[in-house]
Amino acid sequence: MADAIRIEDLRKSFRLGFIPKTREILKGITFSVREGETFGYLGPNGAGKTTTIKCLLGLIRPDAGSIAIFGRPHASPGSRAPLGFLPENPYFYDYLTAREFLAFTGDLFGLGRAEQGERIPRLLELVGLARAADLPLRKYSRGMLQRAGLAQALINDPKLVVLDEPLGGMDPLGRKEIRDIIVRFKDEGKTVFFTSHILQDIEMICDRVAIIVGGRIVKEGSLRDLISEKVLFTEVTVSGLPPAAFEGLGESVSTRGDRVLLKVYDEARVDEVVGLVHDRKGRLVSLSPRTETLEDIFVDTVTRT
């Protein structure tokens, strides 16, 4: 499968104010995004995620290294034509409506009136702004502005969609709707490259991820390869028995109302807990094996680096 993005040994430094000293933000990063996949780019604040995106988009010039978009150097004419972008904090002219704003961006891409007339209503419906299409953007909430920004990122029907924190400012329902849209991109053959602090969402929709810490890629790969299916512990919730009944069976025992919560790290002891509950006429409320998550990997990687 061809690469939609290929970044090799990318480096970027910035001057620190008036002091003749520079700070290296990107320290020779290398990774690729395959065509048609959804790729998550993770890292703590200040790790270099947005700087990478700005280099990719040509908003800043890297000091060294190479960037290719669908096999073409990113600085070559027309290389970014198949690309759509949503910044982390989109800012639009307040007095335009969403419909007018999309028409404006359509003009920038050279779309004709007939094509805009077909595409704009469909995009407004897709991002859930059909009813607010003729309201000025100054009356939009942050989440609504994110939706408008996502619509403009799609106005040119891009093959590659770059999203910087697209789920910021969204309520749980809004996040689910945007996740569903991103999943739909994959079905349409689009490539998605996005950053997010919401690791649960990345785990749900990404094919592969890269973790950047301190300007270096420290992990890259598919979630299947990175996340172990080994059970870390089993969480058992019981009612009808006192916490003292489970002494020595769980490394963590706590109470919540009339229920006892145990974390059992030794899988062999789970059966002992279940047997004890049965013998003493208690009630087993839930039994949940806890496997490794992307958050576990991320926290462990960042703290160790």
Side-chain angles (χ1 to χ4, degrees):
M1 185 180 293
D3 290 335
I5 300 173
R6 179 68 190 173
I7 293 178
E8 295 185 352
D9 197 27
L10 189 67
R11 298 177 182 274
K12 180 62 184 177
S13 300
F14 292 99
R15 291 186 59 182
L16 301 176
F18 295 103
I19 304 173
K21 184 178 179 181
T22 61
R23 179 186 174 193
E24 192 175 21
I25 303 298
L26 300 179
K27 304 173 182 178
I29 65 171
T30 296
F31 68 90
S32 63
V33 179
R34 297 166 189 158
E35 192 170 346
E37 76 176 353
T38 302
F39 190 93
Y41 195 43
L42 316 179
N45 290 334
K49 302 187 300 296
T50 299
T51 299
T52 303
I53 288 176
K54 287 181 177 179
C55 289
L56 173 68
L57 298 173
L59 299 176
I60 58 176
R61 182 177 297 178
D63 299 330
S66 64
I67 304 173
I69 302 174
F70 294 108
R72 301 176 64 182
H74 81 296
S76 62
S79 64
R80 292 184 293 276
L83 187 152
F85 172 56
L86 171 63
E88 179 178 1
N89 296 302
Y91 179 80
F92 313 122
Y93 185 64
D94 286 348
Y95 293 89
L96 289 177
T97 67
R99 194 185 307 276
E100 291 168 340
F101 170 60
L102 292 182
F104 170 71
T105 55
D107 288 341
L108 293 178
F109 278 102
L111 301 181
R113 288 290 177 260
E115 195 169 8
Q116 289 185 27
E118 181 276 329
R119 193 170 294 181
I120 290 174
R122 179 168 53 82
L123 289 175
L124 290 169
E125 185 69 35
L126 176 68
V127 300
L129 291 179
R131 294 184 178 181
D134 298 309
L135 277 178
L137 294 175
R138 62 189 171 87
K139 295 186 177 181
Y140 277 24
S141 66
R142 169 125 196 253
M144 293 173 72
L145 288 174
Q146 286 289 98
R147 292 169 184 267
L150 182 58
Q152 68 79 30
L154 302 173
I155 192 69
N156 60 324
D157 191 22
K159 292 171 58 182
L160 169 63
V161 185
V162 178
L163 308 173
D164 195 1
E165 296 290 345
L167 303 167
M170 293 282 184
D171 58 28
L173 178 59
R175 280 170 46 201
K176 180 186 182 305
E177 290 172 348
I178 299 303
R179 282 201 311 265
D180 290 345
I181 292 172
I182 293 174
V183 170
R184 195 181 309 173
F185 291 162
K186 184 177 178 64
D187 296 336
E188 296 174 357
K190 296 184 187 299
T191 304
V192 183
F193 175 79
F194 80 105
T195 69
S196 178
H197 285 103
I198 307 172
L199 301 183
Q200 181 184 6
D201 292 324
I202 285 186
E203 189 169 358
M204 290 173 68
I205 62 181
C206 284
D207 300 305
R208 292 193 307 128
V209 300
I211 300 176
I212 179 172
V213 180
R216 293 186 172 90
I217 301 295
V218 294
K219 275 188 185 296
E220 179 189 358
S222 69
L223 289 175
R224 183 178 301 174
D225 293 336
L226 293 177
I227 297 176
S228 169
E229 294 184 359
K230 179 183 177 182
V231 175
L232 301 178
F233 61 85
T234 301
E235 189 173 78
V236 185
T237 305
V238 177
S239 66
L241 293 175
F246 303 98
E247 189 172 343
L249 292 178
E251 294 188 24
S252 175
V253 181
S254 59
T255 59
R256 184 178 300 165
D258 63 343
R259 295 181 176 182
V260 178
L261 283 70
L262 298 88
K263 286 185 178 179
V264 184
Y265 290 85
D266 184 349
E267 288 187 64
R269 291 205 153 182
V270 174
D271 289 340
E272 292 183 47
V273 173
V274 174
L276 186 149
V277 173
H278 181 267
D279 293 341
R280 298 196 181 185
K281 309 301 182 184
R283 186 168 73 90
L284 185 65
V285 178
S286 67
L287 191 151
S288 306
R290 167 78 151 74
T291 56
E292 192 173 43
T293 66
L294 181 59
E295 182 176 6
D296 295 324
I297 294 172
F298 179 79
V299 171
D300 182 66
T301 300
V302 172
T303 54
R304 287 173 178 268
T305 303

